[in-house]
Amino acid sequence: MTNEDRAAYSAPALEKGLDILEALAVSPEPMTARQIAEQLGRSKNEIFRMVYVLVERGYLHRDPATDRLSLSNRLFELGMRTPRSRTLVEVALPAMERFANAIGHATHLVVVSRGQTVVIANVAPPWTAFNFFLQPGYGNAATEAISGQTIIAFQPEEKRKAMIEESLALLGGKSSFARLDEEIDAIAKAGSVVAPSHFLVGVIDICAPILDKSGRAIASVVVPCIQHRERTEDYEQIRAALVEICAEISAGLG
């Protein structure tokens, strides 16, 4: 496409809106409209107008106390309406519900998008008093979360490298590529993982991948097991059952 073609098909207002969304997506914390304007090198007036529209349409959330802006779950909700997302959730949920009721712990379906994990569905047994429950849309850098590491572990070599680099970019290079590659190799070799949560004390994460026909992970199922004083869990038994459930979901996707 020539420069003339690009000029003819350009949409400045749309580009400004996308620039704002992308800036907030990679920002470690909410930003004011003034900060966004400075980062993008645009005038405050044009950014303010775009921000107003994005807030009104539900794509941005404005904190009334600080006037800082962050992404809402609107884009996530739109993504969940795609046929592929619906198929994954529709196939996974019945199996996850049976599994959660059998083990007594909440269970989460996770995907990786642009270097971050995203919880796209969850279930919890109604009869348990205590559970660790993540809301849909919640996420972390994929390399920091066991659910993300599990998905990365079951990728072709080049894809794995790209996913690690994309995630590390969100962290500002604070983690070692070599260390991560070693941890991810261990998950790939074992086929699943049981490990202390990377974020919470007293929680053991159990995770297994959902694979496509080529053996590539398209999602993972993670069980954050809260450690109880009066109950001893057999984590290996839960792991074995989780691997079976994930294989069932993989087969159901065709």
Side-chain angles (χ1 to χ4, degrees):
M1 181 179 289
T2 66
N3 290 335
E4 289 79 6
D5 290 334
R6 292 190 181 93
Y9 288 101
S10 66
L14 176 59
E15 290 178 358
K16 280 185 286 188
L18 293 174
D19 286 343
I20 292 169
L21 295 176
E22 290 174 356
L24 287 171
V26 299
S27 175
E29 58 186 22
M31 301 168 68
T32 64
R34 187 180 300 275
Q35 289 173 321
I36 296 171
E38 291 173 354
Q39 180 172 315
L40 297 179
R42 295 184 179 273
S43 74
K44 292 186 287 293
N45 285 340
E46 61 181 336
I47 291 299
F48 288 159
R49 289 196 296 270
M50 293 301 304
V51 162
Y52 175 82
V53 173
L54 290 169
V55 171
E56 287 295 302
R57 294 293 296 268
Y59 289 92
L60 298 183
H61 169 74
R62 188 196 301 271
D63 186 331
T66 65
D67 214 31
R68 290 179 177 270
L69 300 154
S70 58
L71 293 180
S72 71
N73 282 336
R74 176 67 172 157
L75 291 173
F76 167 73
E77 291 167 357
L78 291 176
M80 286 301 296
R81 295 179 188 177
T82 63
R84 180 177 177 181
S85 294
R86 289 201 304 271
T87 299
L88 174 58
V89 173
E90 287 166 359
V91 172
L93 274 181
M96 289 170 59
E97 287 173 354
R98 293 198 317 272
F99 177 66
N101 285 330
I103 65 170
H105 290 283
T107 304
H108 303 81
L109 180 63
V110 180
V111 297
V112 169
S113 175
R114 302 185 67 177
Q116 291 186 305
T117 58
V118 182
V119 176
I120 63 171
N122 52 35
V123 294
W127 48 267
T128 55
F130 300 101
N131 257 305
F132 183 71
F133 202 64
L134 297 173
Q135 293 298 324
Y138 175 83
N140 277 298
T143 51
E144 294 295 287
I146 286 174
S147 58
Q149 289 185 348
T150 300
I151 294 171
I152 295 171
F154 296 88
Q155 304 294 334
E157 184 177 351
E158 287 302 313
K159 178 65 173 177
R160 179 199 285 199
K161 181 179 178 182
M163 291 177 75
I164 292 175
E165 290 176 346
E166 194 171 32
S167 182
L168 289 180
L170 299 176
L171 298 169
K174 294 178 181 178
S175 297
S176 162
F177 188 100
R179 177 185 62 80
L180 284 167
D181 208 37
E182 185 176 333
E183 290 179 2
I184 290 167
D185 271 340
I187 295 173
K189 183 176 181 180
S192 57
V193 59
V194 176
S197 168
H198 291 176
F199 303 103
L200 295 170
V201 176
V203 174
I204 299 296
D205 283 338
I206 304 175
C207 190
I210 296 173
L211 307 176
D212 64 15
K213 291 181 179 180
S214 69
R216 180 181 67 89
I218 59 173
S220 65
V221 177
V222 61
V223 183
C225 295
I226 298 176
Q227 295 177 294
H228 294 269
R229 291 183 181 274
E230 299 178 357
R231 188 173 81 190
T232 301
E233 298 283 6
D234 186 337
Y235 298 124
E236 289 302 322
Q237 184 177 13
I238 295 175
R239 185 217 290 254
L242 177 59
V243 169
E244 290 184 5
I245 286 295
C246 287
E248 176 186 328
I249 296 169
S250 298
L253 292 171

